Amino acid sequence: MGDEIVIFTVYLQNEKKASENTVKSYQRDLRHFANYLEGIGIYDVSKVTRTCLNSYLLFLEKEGKAASSISRMLASIRSFFRYELNYGRIRKDPSELIRGPKVRKNEPTVLTEEEVARLLGQPDGNSPKEIRDRAMLELLYATGIRVSELVGLRTDDLNRSLGCIRCRDSVRDRVIPYGKEVEQRLQRYLSAARPELLKGKESEALFVNCNGSPMSRQGFWKIVKHYGDKAKIQGDITPYSLKHSYEAHIRDRRQRQKQPETA
């Protein structure tokens, strides 16, 4: 089966134009599968059956592989067998009806309003970095936008006279208002912090890192993790925590507004 894996990876590189990381991932998964098959006496790809595949999935579970890893490995195997079938090397795809494990999506941590206040209050210094971080955290929580939208904001997406931002996507633009406190944070960032961070560079990006380049999603994740640890908040704090906390708090406030007053 080793030769077939080599041919398949060449196909991925030359015809599918897959990235180097993708090719390596397929190679790793398929070699693991091939080693298992050799261990049970199967060397010919045409001899692999649905029963073999189900046994392999059970083997992976016993090895302690996570459901997400097993699903990825099964996806690699399916791609390989589809290729083998399309090129006439096998008559039937044994992976066609195989079901992988259900991958549970981790629910993001939803913070209490007190925890949000504690988190937002962590960058309270006067350094350009802390001023920027406070503005980003406040804007994310006040608007409930996605992290990709936050780091993708340009300076011309900000309308300070109306107190709103414009988020662009492939379908439509959304205009989202923010409050007075956020406006104060943005004003301070734009006047006192952003010029320092840019170090003479020019950039359309609203939020920039310490090198003057546009802030990345990974960079902002590190910022949230840092201040979450500093605020001693339990649980896995991510940028999505602020987005989902915003949505939960908005629902709670609307519910409270709907409740009739008691005498």
Side-chain angles (χ1 to χ4, degrees):
M1 188 169 163
D3 290 342
E4 284 90 347
I5 293 174
V6 171
I7 294 169
F8 176 62
T9 53
V10 170
Y11 160 78
L12 291 175
Q13 291 171 317
N14 296 343
E15 295 191 39
K16 300 297 287 185
K17 306 299 181 184
S19 69
E20 183 180 351
N21 287 339
T22 298
V23 172
K24 286 182 178 178
S25 177
Y26 274 103
Q27 285 177 326
R28 183 173 58 250
D29 293 343
L30 292 171
R31 282 172 183 163
H32 190 280
F33 179 49
N35 288 337
Y36 169 81
L37 292 175
E38 289 175 10
I40 60 174
I42 296 177
Y43 300 90
D44 187 342
V45 67
S46 65
K47 302 296 183 183
V48 179
T49 64
R50 191 187 311 170
T51 302
C52 291
L53 281 171
N54 280 321
S55 298
Y56 179 60
L57 296 184
L58 289 173
F59 170 74
L60 293 176
E61 288 181 9
K62 290 177 181 178
E63 274 196 328
K65 299 285 187 188
S68 56
S69 297
I70 296 174
S71 294
R72 188 207 67 237
M73 296 171 86
L74 180 56
S76 299
I77 292 168
R78 281 188 175 126
S79 295
F80 172 71
F81 278 115
R82 279 198 297 269
Y83 168 81
E84 293 290 294
L85 182 66
N86 289 339
Y87 281 80
R89 296 189 175 95
I90 56 175
R91 293 183 178 181
K92 188 176 181 181
D93 179 0
S95 70
E96 188 176 8
L97 299 177
I98 297 292
R99 290 186 178 182
K102 289 185 178 180
V103 180
R104 292 178 60 186
K105 293 184 178 179
N106 293 327
E107 290 294 324
T109 301
V110 175
L111 309 178
T112 66
E113 294 193 40
E114 185 274 331
E115 286 174 327
V116 169
R118 227 164 65 222
L119 177 66
L120 299 184
Q122 292 308 308
D124 59 354
N126 295 317
S127 70
K129 181 182 182 304
E130 287 177 297
I131 294 171
R132 177 206 63 200
D133 295 349
R134 183 67 180 261
M136 293 187 77
L137 290 170
E138 294 267 11
L139 183 60
L140 183 66
Y141 178 66
T143 57
I145 59 176
R146 298 189 296 271
V147 182
S148 57
E149 291 174 326
L150 178 73
V151 299
L153 287 172
R154 304 188 319 211
T155 52
D156 61 358
D157 292 325
L158 181 64
N159 189 326
R160 293 179 58 201
S161 61
L162 295 178
C164 62
I165 54 172
R166 177 177 57 192
C167 290
R168 311 163 186 266
D169 60 36
S170 58
V171 179
R172 60 189 174 88
D173 290 355
R174 290 153 44 236
V175 176
I176 305 167
Y178 56 78
K180 290 183 180 179
E181 186 170 350
V182 176
E183 168 56 28
Q184 293 172 358
R185 299 294 176 188
L186 288 170
Q187 192 279 329
R188 190 179 182 205
Y189 164 69
L190 290 168
S191 61
R194 190 171 181 273
E196 291 290 326
L197 294 169
L198 282 171
K199 298 180 176 65
K201 295 181 181 178
E202 292 186 2
S203 177
E204 292 183 345
L206 177 59
F207 294 110
V208 296
N209 62 24
C210 294
N211 296 319
S213 301
M215 175 66 69
S216 67
R217 291 175 70 252
Q218 293 85 351
F220 186 64
W221 273 67
K222 291 178 182 177
I223 288 171
V224 175
K225 180 77 170 84
H226 168 70
Y227 291 119
D229 291 343
K230 195 175 175 184
K232 294 182 171 55
I233 296 172
Q234 300 298 315
D236 186 20
I237 307 300
T238 70
Y240 296 113
S241 301
L242 276 178
K243 173 178 169 53
H244 288 273
S245 298
Y246 160 85
E247 292 168 349
H249 297 165
I250 288 293
R251 286 195 300 270
D252 289 345
R253 288 167 195 162
R254 286 173 179 166
Q255 282 295 112
R256 289 198 296 267
Q257 289 171 358
K258 288 179 181 179
Q259 291 175 355
E261 293 184 9
T262 56

